[in-house]
Amino acid sequence: MASDPTLRTLIHPVPYHSQWASPELVPEIIAGTVPAAEDPRWPEYGAKSPEEYAWWSWRLCGMACLRMALAYWRRPVPTAMDLATACLDAGAYVRHEDGLHGLVYAPFAAYVERHLGLLAESRPELPREELPALIGAGRLVLLSVHPAIRDADPEPPHRGGHLVLAVGVTPDHVVIHNPSGFPGHSQEFAHVDWRTLDRVYAGRGVVLGLREEEQ
């Protein structure tokens, strides 16, 4: 999909949440000049210590996306750590010696539907050509992309590995909230052209929406 003049611009007014407690510190945290444990707002994450916060904050892009969706649909928004703990219990995250496996889409979608009252569909195959119709139907979509989406790296080493939330489309772009984006550049309502998306998108994700009786 290149530019499609038949597409209308539609951007849902979704509140933004970073995967770190201080969105303005994301460039420094990613660059390593400010350790995540020194984020002064770490208690807001629901962590028990700066060290716990630092470990989890690098891994909870999916929880940041979920918190955005909950806020948009005016649901209670638990802390990132409360959601992460629930997802561990649900099998959507799996701890192991080397770190964390996840987000595992099927148990994540089941948890969201069972406990948070939203529709959630695991899509191990999600062609990006479907995004305009999904956004047009009022959905929000977690997309698996390479983190290089934040700076439009022309040659990322692979696709996937990071989750962003698709909140809109234009004829030339998908519009995303990026939990690890840079403020004023690639953080909220970032316009990513379709060709750039092709370079980073793994072709899978999770579709979120309201139940039919609430639409």
Side-chain angles (χ1 to χ4, degrees), residues 170-193:
T170 79
D172 300 300
H173 307 88
V174 60
V175 182
I176 65 167
H177 281 350
N178 184 352
S180 70
F182 295 157
H185 171 59
S186 55
Q187 205 161 74
E188 53 187 311
F189 300 110
H191 287 54
V192 179
D193 67 74

Side-chain angles (χ1 to χ4, degrees), residues 104-107 109-110 120-125 205-207:
V104 186
Y105 295 165
E121 182 185 4
S122 171
R123 292 292 304 273
E125 295 185 8
V206 179
V207 180

Side-chain angles (χ1 to χ4, degrees), residues 85-108:
T85 300
C87 283
L88 273 172
D89 292 341
Y93 286 126
V94 180
R95 290 286 297 261
H96 55 82
E97 288 185 5
D98 297 325
L100 189 72
H101 177 63
L103 196 63
V104 186
Y105 295 165
F108 170 72

Side-chain angles (χ1 to χ4, degrees), residues 128-177:
R128 52 114 163 163
E129 288 81 7
E130 293 187 28
L131 295 179
L134 290 169
I135 296 296
R139 303 290 195 259
L140 302 176
V141 189
L142 281 77
L143 302 176
S144 177
V145 299
H146 188 273
I149 195 170
R150 79 170 67 91
D151 52 16
D153 183 343
E155 295 183 3
H158 57 81
R159 296 182 175 91
H162 176 58
L163 289 166
V164 299
L165 189 68
V167 301
V169 291
T170 79
D172 300 300
H173 307 88
V174 60
V175 182
I176 65 167
H177 281 350

Side-chain angles (χ1 to χ4, degrees), residues 35-66:
E38 295 181 8
D39 184 338
R41 294 172 59 185
W42 71 265
E44 298 175 22
Y45 217 69
K48 296 176 182 177
S49 68
E51 292 73 25
E52 181 181 56
Y53 164 74
W55 192 89
W56 279 99
S57 64
W58 284 91
R59 297 166 168 87
L60 293 189
C61 48
M63 298 303 95
C65 292
L66 177 57

